[in-house]
Amino acid sequence: MPEPSRSKELPVSLLTNPAMIEACQARDFGRIFQLVKARAGIYPSMIARRCDLTPSRVGEVIAGRRQLLHMDVIERISNGLRIPGHMLGLARRSWEMPPSLTVTPREPAKLPASAVEPLAAGLPGADVDNILALAADRGLGASTLDALHSSIADYWRRDDEHGGETLRPAVVGQLRYVVDLLKEQRPTPLRDGLHSIGAELARLTGWTYFDARQYNQARAYFTESLGLAKAIGDHQFMANVLACMSLQATYQDKPGDALALVTAAQDQTRATAGTTPRVLAMLAMREAFAHAALGNHSATHTAISEAHAQFGRISTGDPDPAWVAYFDEPKLIVDTGIAHGRLGEAALAEPFTADALRREHRTNHRGRAFHAFWLARTQLQRGKLDEACHTAMGALAPAAAVNSQRVAGHLREFYEQLEPFRREPAAVAFESRLREVLPRQFSGSLRP
């Protein structure tokens, strides 16, 4: 049944109600949803549609069986229910600004014509590019495939070090090149090789969008990758893509989707003889993430045990696909800590995360920042304010070195959790260091 036509704005009497204000300050979304239903006539099914949540998830929140913690979800609730940002500790929402006061973004300064014209004159037009592409030698051999695989490995390395935002145009350009090559008749081995490379490039593109928290775009490219892998029956790579989509679903607070996607990934590996223990361990850990997001303690612990058991079966001669090489022992350990942390088991999570962070490769800036903020949040949950701020302070340099909205989101979540301790010396020192290291990104935008 379509939702009745009504204003999206909540009644002023509700927004000024002390109970609503208190619930928003505590981010008690169960109470918020109850008040919205009782005082504004917006029922759980409507809340679900407005906030891009499932009705069952809204029901669990109202019943007190589920908490909503991810910043993406909190922003969706603020936008969907028109709760002003400051009430939930968020920045001012775009819809709060009257149109007459909206600032038109300043256009970037144009280069003097004298500087642009020689450059433009020296480049061929788009039509000439197309003519040259038709005239080019389209010969394709094993060396071409090797070169493309080498480029992909380099893209992943640079993605870890600097983030994917600046890489994306090159990756998408290469993906289009590969798809164009597939339009011509090729011997089966070369055609299968191009499908495999196209699938890897599409997954990498999806990953860069996921890391930028542009989830619809990410899903589109993940789906494209899935189709390219399916065309050549590469069930292991299809499992890899489904595991990526499962991880994204946990960020979108869609744990039911996350579990369905990762179990589908595991089904794909059953269709492939010779799936390696490393791949199975990675998938078991993604399953643990999904169960943890659902709050299922026993199923999470079972999946963690399965991941460690499979990892223990790894041997040097295993024919691991290149895309799973990242899942080494430190990654297994830190993911174990994250799974326990998602369950609220801070005492179990802290030693795993701390141990893995000590072994993290120094050039993996995003991984170091991401895992350090997880550790800081865990330490804060255990009442270790000084240690948490010290850990988070150490994450600021790698966070500044990588362009990742996902890392920035974890930083904001940690900062929000510091609110009750804002006047403590450790918190003051952290905020001072934060504004020093990341002045452009966060100065003036963090404090509610």
Side-chain angles (χ1 to χ4, degrees):
M1 180 182 296
E3 182 178 336
S5 176
R6 65 174 75 222
S7 170
K8 285 194 173 184
E9 307 296 331
L10 294 178
V12 173
S13 60
L14 174 57
L15 294 176
T16 56
N17 185 296
M20 183 66 167
I21 294 171
E22 183 180 347
C24 288
Q25 288 175 342
R27 287 186 176 171
D28 182 351
F29 291 105
R31 182 64 177 145
I32 290 170
F33 291 166
Q34 289 173 342
L35 288 167
V36 166
K37 175 185 173 183
R39 303 293 181 87
I42 301 175
Y43 287 84
S45 60
M46 301 176 191
I47 293 172
R49 284 198 293 273
R50 290 191 181 190
C51 303
D52 192 21
L53 297 168
T54 62
S56 61
R57 183 64 58 243
V58 173
E60 290 174 356
V61 172
I62 292 174
R65 296 194 301 272
R66 177 79 182 157
Q67 288 186 312
L68 300 177
L69 302 174
H70 277 297
M71 192 61 68
D72 293 335
V73 180
I74 295 169
E75 289 173 348
R76 290 209 307 267
I77 292 170
S78 173
N79 295 333
L81 296 180
R82 289 296 196 263
I83 300 174
H86 73 274
M87 293 183 68
L88 291 169
L90 302 174
R92 189 180 180 92
R93 317 312 296 157
S94 59
W95 48 265
E96 294 183 65
M97 186 71 74
S100 60
L101 297 181
T102 301
V103 179
T104 303
R106 181 182 298 174
E107 293 187 5
K110 295 182 179 179
L111 291 174
S114 58
V116 176
E117 288 172 0
L119 175 63
L123 294 174
D127 56 335
V128 175
D129 278 339
N130 293 334
I131 293 169
L132 294 175
L134 288 172
D137 180 11
R138 305 285 278 186
L140 183 68
S143 61
T144 308
L145 300 185
D146 289 342
L148 289 168
H149 276 300
S150 179
S151 294
I152 292 169
D154 186 55
Y155 288 145
W156 279 112
R157 178 185 59 78
R158 287 192 280 162
D159 175 68
D160 283 339
E161 293 181 12
H162 308 295
E165 196 70 29
T166 56
L167 293 178
R168 194 183 302 131
V171 178
V172 172
Q174 207 157 54
L175 173 61
R176 288 173 178 162
Y177 170 71
V178 170
V179 170
D180 195 41
L181 290 176
L182 280 168
K183 294 176 183 176
E184 302 175 16
Q185 291 295 323
R186 305 281 178 190
T188 299
L190 291 178
R191 186 169 184 81
D192 287 355
L194 286 173
H195 270 97
S196 177
I197 289 167
E200 291 189 66
L201 288 167
R203 182 178 78 99
L204 175 53
T205 305
W207 179 263
T208 65
Y209 278 116
F210 164 51
D211 196 50
R213 303 203 306 177
Q214 298 179 36
Y215 297 136
N216 290 337
Q217 286 284 71
R219 190 183 184 93
Y221 278 97
F222 284 147
T223 303
E224 178 72 14
S225 177
L226 206 59
L228 287 164
K230 185 177 182 179
I232 55 173
D234 190 343
H235 294 285
Q236 280 200 88
F237 196 83
M238 290 173 68
N240 182 28
V241 178
L242 288 166
C244 289
M245 298 176 82
S246 174
L247 182 64
Q248 177 174 311
T250 64
Y251 271 80
Q252 294 180 277
D253 197 48
K254 297 179 178 180
D257 291 359
L259 185 58
L261 288 163
V262 75
T263 52
Q266 291 166 326
D267 287 342
Q268 290 296 323
T269 61
R270 294 187 185 98
T272 305
T275 300
T276 64
R278 193 182 301 271
V279 172
L280 295 174
M282 180 272 289
L283 293 176
M285 191 55 72
R286 292 289 169 85
E287 182 189 351
F289 282 1
H291 285 305
L294 284 164
N296 190 330
H297 286 247
S298 61
T300 303
H301 292 168
T302 299
I304 290 173
S305 297
E306 175 66 12
H308 282 258
Q310 291 292 349
F311 198 89
R313 298 187 182 106
I314 293 174
S315 62
T316 307
D318 287 341
D320 285 324
W323 46 261
V324 80
Y326 80 96
F327 197 78
D328 53 12
E329 189 174 20
K331 182 61 176 168
L332 171 74
I333 292 170
V334 78
D335 280 359
T336 301
I338 290 172
H340 284 300
R342 287 186 184 277
L343 285 175
E345 298 172 341
L348 288 173
E350 183 182 356
F352 282 110
T353 314
D355 180 35
L357 188 58
R358 282 192 291 270
R359 298 200 253 171
E360 191 93 56
H361 200 282
R362 304 296 301 183
T363 60
N364 186 356
H365 297 309
R366 181 176 51 216
R368 289 189 63 78
F370 179 73
H371 298 146
F373 285 128
W374 261 109
L375 176 58
R377 290 168 62 183
T378 302
Q379 290 169 332
L380 193 60
Q381 288 171 5
R382 301 194 68 193
K384 301 178 177 181
L385 175 62
D386 289 358
E387 288 184 44
C389 291
H390 177 76
T391 300
M393 209 175 291
L396 294 178
V402 67
N403 186 357
S404 169
Q405 285 301 312
R406 201 159 51 103
V407 169
H410 282 278
L411 168 56
R412 288 190 180 94
E413 288 174 11
F414 174 75
Y415 187 89
E416 292 290 334
Q417 290 171 341
L418 277 182
E419 180 62 34
F421 315 102
R422 196 70 70 203
R423 296 174 184 269
E424 297 294 330
V428 172
F430 169 72
E431 181 168 344
S432 175
R433 180 64 177 156
L434 169 62
R435 297 187 184 281
E436 177 184 337
V437 176
L438 295 167
R440 181 176 62 84
Q441 294 93 325
F442 294 107
S443 281
S445 66
L446 279 170
R447 186 180 296 281

